[in-house]
Amino acid sequence: YFVKIVILLWVIIVKTIKELHDDAIAREIPIMKDDGIAYLYDFLQKHNIKNVLEIGSAIGFSSICMAMSKDDIHITTIEKDEERYQEAIQNIKDFGKENQITCLNMDALEYVPDRLYDLLFIDAAKSSNGRFFDRFTPYLINGGYVIVDNMYFYGFVDDIGQVRTKNLRQLVQKIQKFKTYITRRDDKEEID
């Protein structure tokens, strides 16, 4: 009987997350793809992540997914856009995750952490990945991790010849530069 109740509650939560996901897609709000969320879930469990700093909240989708994956996790997430921040706050409340998620409305580069984090998760302006990385890696625990969403930028990073506009080409070049910077660092550890 208990198992049926838990399964029923999980179905309700999954449906709600699916609704949040589908609504974001319909409104063209950038959120993580399903395979990225699955990877993140697995990573959080495998590496026993307890404290996450997320750069780029959007509407709170990925923070909520992380909070749902583990009861003992806390996410500090930063969103610069006031409207998306307000929506993230409401979504976090709707899911009852306000004890696990602290959402800040500010330019992430102005944030001064008051703790160390197990994971830095960067999912914001792709052109600023390098600045976010350099700014916040000093706030990782020894042996902490960094995940940067969409490093291949829909395949354009590995095949810039597909890019047809100047602005997109410049963005892809910045992502390529960041990727090169990361791969040349001595302190990296390849996980997956």
Side-chain angles (χ1 to χ4, degrees):
Y1 181 74
F2 176 73
V3 172
K4 289 180 182 180
I5 292 172
V6 170
I7 291 171
L8 177 61
L9 289 174
W10 178 248
V11 169
I12 291 168
I13 291 171
V14 169
K15 181 179 179 192
T16 305
I17 276 289
K18 181 168 178 13
E19 289 171 354
L20 183 61
H21 172 275
D22 292 349
D23 179 61
I25 297 298
R27 293 188 296 141
E28 297 182 356
I29 295 172
I31 59 169
M32 288 185 73
K33 294 182 180 269
D34 293 342
D35 59 343
I37 288 290
Y39 175 84
L40 195 54
Y41 263 71
D42 184 57
F43 190 91
L44 297 172
Q45 300 297 328
K46 184 177 176 182
H47 298 285
N48 196 28
I49 302 298
K50 303 239 187 251
N51 288 296
V52 178
L53 175 59
E54 177 185 40
I55 310 301
S57 312
I59 60 168
F61 177 75
S62 54
S63 293
I64 293 166
C65 288
M66 286 189 275
M68 289 174 61
S69 74
K70 296 179 61 156
D71 290 335
D72 63 346
I73 194 168
H74 184 271
I75 301 103
T76 301
T77 184
I78 305 171
E79 177 57 47
K80 186 175 183 178
D81 181 271
E82 171 72 25
E83 188 175 324
R84 288 195 178 160
Y85 163 78
Q86 291 297 334
E87 190 170 348
I89 289 292
Q90 186 60 54
N91 288 331
I92 291 164
K93 286 180 183 174
D94 289 349
F95 279 84
K97 297 299 180 184
E98 54 267 30
N99 291 334
Q100 287 179 271
I101 303 170
T102 301
C103 191
L104 306 172
N105 180 219
M106 64 190 308
D107 182 330
L109 294 171
E110 295 174 4
Y111 176 61
V112 179
D114 60 356
R115 69 174 75 175
L116 296 179
Y117 295 93
D118 304 317
L119 172 66
L120 168 60
F121 176 52
I122 303 172
D123 189 14
K126 304 304 175 213
S127 62
S128 296
N129 283 346
R131 292 188 308 164
F132 295 137
F133 182 90
D134 289 339
R135 172 78 176 94
F136 294 111
T137 53
Y139 294 97
L140 287 173
I141 63 166
N142 187 21
Y145 301 95
V146 179
I147 295 176
V148 181
D149 187 46
N150 206 356
M151 281 287 293
Y152 295 98
F153 203 67
Y154 310 106
F156 292 138
V157 172
D158 289 334
D159 187 7
I160 200 166
Q162 296 179 59
V163 178
R164 301 291 176 230
T165 67
K166 181 181 176 182
N167 288 344
L168 184 56
R169 182 176 303 276
Q170 288 174 338
L171 175 60
V172 170
Q173 288 170 337
K174 286 179 183 177
I175 297 170
Q176 286 175 326
K177 183 178 176 183
F178 175 68
K179 186 177 171 188
T180 300
Y181 169 68
I182 294 299
T183 57
R184 291 187 178 160
R185 289 178 59 97
D186 293 332
D187 60 348
K188 71 179 182 308
E189 176 186 337
E190 301 265 337
I191 300 295
D192 290 315

